[in-house]
Amino acid sequence: MDKTALITGASSGIGLCYATQLAAAGYDLVIVSNEEEKNGALADKLGALYSIKVYPVYKDLRSEYAAKELYDFCHERNLQIDILINNAGMLVFDTLSRTADEKIDSIISLHVKTPTMLCKLFSEQMKRRGGGHILIMSSATARMPYPTISVYGATKSYMLNFANSLRFELRSHGVNVTAVLPGAVDTPLYNLPAGTRSLLRRLGVMNSPEKVASGALKAMFKGRKKYIPGFFTRFVLLIVPLIPDRVIRLIMKHPKLKHLF
């Protein structure tokens, strides 16, 4: 039987790389995005290039019933999801007091509610079959205080804790759960000039989405608990707990940053 992967946020960034790499490995795909035109074009391209079945789904994953609707879509087509990749996300840089209520709701729904429900629905199928993989995109910010992305970091902390706990629940049923904790990744989430992104990649501060996706999939197939891409990110996560709060407060008082707070 052909194997199928479901990827959220598949039309760009890391999600696009997940879709492309799994298509090259022969997986049929259910690719989910709120960018209908790009998602459809990607489905046509990958289907023709790798002779696989690709089901593009236009979906606002912030909506209350998004997870159930996706599950029903697969169930109605008798699609067995062997790999679930919770990748869709959004990033807003601003203080909490200046962040619009609807953006806060969107981040929480996109990073917490919908991925949780997708895991619940599809993991039950995986348990009955005795196998499957779930890949959950957390973030290096899950382990560090990061002013101006307090809601984003908090939701990523939830996803990391959730992934670790779910791993214990499903491991005895043959279902693997892997969390990914990337630092800065060269995707549209970061509105930076091309030259700046290129320099940051050369310095190892920023990773390419292709590298993140490749390493994450390898870690997932090996059954690893987590994957942290890049030496720089791993180093930062080691030293962050040692940084006193007063240092962060001093940074926030820098003339270029002070106006934000």
Side-chain angles (χ1 to χ4, degrees), residues 1 24 34 43 82 96 99 119 140 164 195-196 205 222 224 255 261:
M1 178 182 289
N34 64 349
D82 301 282
L96 180 64
T99 304
C119 287
N164 291 340
T196 302
V205 174
K222 289 180 179 179
R224 292 181 179 170
F261 307 98

Side-chain angles (χ1 to χ4, degrees), residues 184-209:
V185 183
D186 188 6
T187 72
L189 282 178
Y190 291 87
N191 186 22
L192 296 173
T196 302
R197 297 201 309 268
S198 178
L199 174 62
L200 292 174
R201 287 198 306 271
R202 290 197 303 272
L203 293 174
V205 174
M206 181 174 276
N207 290 298
S208 72

Side-chain angles (χ1 to χ4, degrees), residues 9-237:
S11 59
S12 63
I14 303 172
L16 172 61
C17 296
Y18 281 135
T20 303
Q21 292 176 23
L22 285 170
Y27 280 82
D28 291 337
L29 302 175
V30 178
I31 54 175
V32 187
S33 173
N34 64 349
E35 299 176 305
E36 187 171 16
E37 187 174 337
K38 287 176 65 175
N39 207 42
L42 177 63
D44 292 340
K45 176 183 175 181
L46 295 180
L49 187 60
Y50 297 107
S51 300
I52 59 169
K53 297 174 185 176
V54 186
Y55 302 85
V57 181
Y58 171 66
K59 183 70 62 181
D60 182 352
L61 293 169
R62 300 169 300 178
S63 66
E64 184 177 359
Y65 301 107
K68 183 61 166 58
E69 290 167 357
L70 266 179
Y71 178 82
D72 289 343
F73 176 91
C74 295
H75 180 72
E76 290 164 4
R77 290 157 182 79
N78 199 30
L79 296 175
Q80 173 180 294
I81 301 303
D82 301 282
I83 298 174
L84 171 63
I85 299 182
N86 281 304
N87 167 76
M90 63 180 291
L91 179 60
V92 177
F93 285 101
D94 212 338
T95 58
L96 180 64
S97 62
R98 299 197 310 191
T99 304
D101 292 354
E102 59 269 21
K103 288 187 177 180
I104 294 173
D105 288 340
S106 293
I107 293 172
I108 293 173
S109 295
L110 196 58
H111 294 180
V112 175
K113 183 175 180 180
T114 296
T116 300
M117 295 308 298
L118 284 173
C119 287
K120 180 181 189 299
L121 292 166
F122 286 104
S123 69
E124 286 301 312
Q125 284 190 337
M126 293 177 181
K127 282 172 63 176
R128 289 194 294 268
R129 295 195 307 268
H133 292 280
I134 297 175
L135 191 67
I136 293 175
M137 293 299 292
S138 178
S139 167
T141 61
R143 291 184 171 176
M144 61 179 73
Y146 203 136
T148 72
I149 59 167
S150 56
V151 179
Y152 177 90
T155 60
K156 292 300 184 177
S157 293
Y158 170 90
M159 290 312 296
L160 177 59
N161 197 342
F162 174 72
N164 291 340
S165 300
L166 188 63
R167 179 180 174 87
F168 283 110
E169 294 181 14
L170 298 178
R171 192 171 179 84
S172 62
H173 299 278
V175 182
N176 172 65
V177 180
T178 300
V180 186
L181 287 78
V185 183
D186 188 6
T187 72
L189 282 178
Y190 291 87
N191 186 22
L192 296 173
T196 302
R197 297 201 309 268
S198 178
L199 174 62
L200 292 174
R201 287 198 306 271
R202 290 197 303 272
L203 293 174
V205 174
M206 181 174 276
N207 290 298
S208 72
E210 292 83 4
K211 180 179 178 181
V212 173
S214 175
L217 289 175
K218 288 178 182 176
M220 180 192 75
F221 284 123
K222 289 180 179 179
R224 292 181 179 170
K225 180 179 181 179
K226 66 178 182 291
Y227 171 65
I228 304 173
F231 172 80
F232 178 81
T233 303
R234 293 192 291 270
F235 174 73
V236 168
L237 287 177

